[in-house]
Amino acid sequence: MTPTQLENLSRIFSGRILLRREIPLNEPTFQQFLDNQYLIPQKSIIKKLLAHQCMRCGNEKKSLFAKIPCSICNKTHLYCRKCIQMGRVMECEPLYTWGGEPPNWSTYKQPCTWDGTLTQGQLQASNHMVQAIRSGEKEYLIWAVCGAGKTEMIFPAITETLQQGKRICIATPRADVVRELYPRLQKAFEEVPVQALYGGSETKDATAQLIIATTHQLLRFQHAFDVVIVDEIDAFPFHADPSLPYSANRAKKQDSTMIYLTATPRKDHQKRIAKKTLPHTFVPVRFHGHPLPVPKTKICFSLKKDLDEYRLPKAFYNWLPKRENSKRQLLIFVPTIKLAEKMKDSLASILKKEKVISSEAMLTSVHAEDVDREEKVIQFRQKKITVMITTTILERGVTFPSVDVAIVDAGHSVFDEAALVQIAGRAGRSADDPIGEVIFFHDGKTEAMERAIASIKKMNKRGGFET
């Protein structure tokens, strides 16, 4: 095998932890790789003192293991139910890692082709990220309000990594965010190959030096990246699924830097910040210099009855004609998929009467199980759709230039403080329309609602605004 062939193979397999079925080699070549120790097998499920552990996702919960007959050896074997959506891991089938030389990544002189300018707050955060990478800081957190421009802030950190000839991954919990950021990274780093990895993505081999991926895709990586930037660390499912932080930490090399991005840090990170065990930079102002929209609340006494009949409350229709800017698009958040699907029919005729839309085609719904969700988001961004009913799937990571936001049943348990702050952050994201209205429709204020409003006011105050 020539050095060039080995280099190409190392780019495919180095830093990966894969099942046999994920390795695109025929059986004779695969056996040759094993004999030459280019691929190293390791146990996929190990026995610990009082439990088993899946070596791909780290699961140790007994309830998330089960036994199944093996068609190869005619025995019953344990498999991990926790990460089965990534392909079944069985104790009789090893995982494989690369045993050859690591790849030589390119060194770029000026990889960034973005010609924009960072604000003072963005620049401070960017400089701190770059310094963290240069000094080998293990962790660094950027706490930036919704709309502060976190994506642009990371461009200098990506540039620094590529200039050092190192590898970087931007990871985020949601596939919609990967699809949103992928073209922006391609445009900002035109000479650098960029790959996007998420469930259903066209790219599977992960050979690029610059990768953007869902945090679930990191289950297939081990000691792969010199820099890992985890966007939206507070988002579901990252904060609620131990396997995702486990895989993110395993995906980075021993000498590496992990950078966290968030607008709404969870309590554990806030405690570490307070104890000064997690270095951070706070960016309290949006990129356009205007404050965050402070949500207003509207009580709806018959809300439960209205929702049971899949209609919006009367308070919503009273507010609709009084909006400050009727030309804005409208995002309506509801707590369940069933509401999102069934509410649009009753809403369409009223919105036509109010001249919010001119045809039913300008109103749609979107949720996690919607196979057309990517196309619908594109159409909404292109203003082919005026009103979008959505679940929390659009609470973060997507940018629309001019929208008003209504949260129906804002007191529902699905809308915790972080979700409410993030949803409110969808409004006023454009310099041409930096305000936007945010309304919480509810049948009784919750602590989450009150904390979210207080948090937004606090951020505005720290940014120099009185709200």
Side-chain angles (χ1 to χ4, degrees), residues 198-216:
Y198 55 91
S201 62
E202 296 179 4
T203 303
K204 300 295 182 185
D205 58 6
T207 57
Q209 190 170 349
L210 172 55
I211 283 178
I212 177 166
T214 58
T215 47
H216 275 96

Side-chain angles (χ1 to χ4, degrees), residues 145-173:
V145 298
C146 296
K150 291 191 293 292
T151 301
E152 290 76 16
M153 287 182 210
I154 67 174
F155 290 168
I158 297 172
T159 298
E160 177 67 23
T161 305
L162 297 173
Q163 286 176 336
Q164 291 187 24
K166 294 182 176 181
R167 196 180 192 197
I168 184 169
C169 176
I170 294 93
T172 181

